[in-house]
Amino acid sequence: MLLDVVAALAIFALAAFVLMPRPRYTVGAAELSGEAVRISGEFRKGRAKALTTGSVVDVAVDPGNNRIQVDGANAISIRDGVALNWVTSDRCPIRGGTRALRFLADGRSCGGVMTLSASGRAIDLRVDWLTGRVEMSPK
């Protein structure tokens, strides 16, 4: 009798474990900050390329597919679970259906603000139009 009760409890425990909903992985503050640093590095890479080559460089941002591409180079993907909002000036060129961030040979840009958000946290990446400077700030 005791063995039957133990076996029944074991079966219930196994069923509860199998049927229990799994928590989804959430992006923490450190992962979100890391992603912001990585993306700001791509913006800085575009500005540096414009300055060193003396030519216009576009950084294409595709919020629909969470991808960023500097001047036709290999695109980087933004981490799953990170939402992207991209706002630029109407002076920025359109690449692939969205506005690209354009850096001029003197380092200036058309300017823009990218907001990365995940798990109730958000970080803004601001690109100054006059200087091309990239700044990160938590919201």
Side-chain angles (χ1 to χ4, degrees):
M1 172 93 169
L2 182 59
L3 188 57
D4 292 339
V5 172
V6 171
L9 286 176
I11 291 171
F12 284 129
L14 183 62
F17 177 75
V18 170
L19 298 175
M20 186 170 58
R22 306 256 191 277
R24 295 183 70 200
Y25 174 75
T26 58
V27 176
E31 290 93 354
L32 184 61
S33 293
E35 201 63 14
V37 168
R38 190 169 70 104
I39 293 167
S40 68
E42 292 296 307
F43 288 156
R44 288 182 177 105
K45 185 190 317 180
R47 182 175 186 270
K49 185 174 181 181
L51 287 169
T52 57
T53 62
S55 62
V56 171
V57 173
D58 288 342
V59 179
V61 177
D62 183 358
N65 293 319
N66 277 2
R67 295 168 57 95
I68 297 174
Q69 185 175 26
V70 178
D71 205 31
N74 290 335
I76 65 163
S77 294
I78 298 169
R79 178 187 200 111
D80 286 340
V82 175
L84 171 83
N85 184 30
W86 178 231
V87 178
T88 61
S89 160
D90 59 357
R91 294 181 181 176
C92 292
I94 296 177
R95 298 275 184 261
T98 61
R99 296 222 179 255
L101 181 61
R102 175 166 281 174
F103 289 100
L104 304 176
D106 61 2
R108 290 180 295 146
S109 75
C110 60
V113 177
M114 178 181 286
T115 302
L116 302 170
S117 58
S119 304
R121 297 175 182 87
I123 296 177
D124 279 344
L125 297 175
R126 298 179 183 278
V127 182
D128 185 76
W129 67 272
L130 183 60
T131 64
R133 182 176 172 191
V134 181
E135 296 179 352
M136 276 182 18
S137 61
K139 278 184 109 176

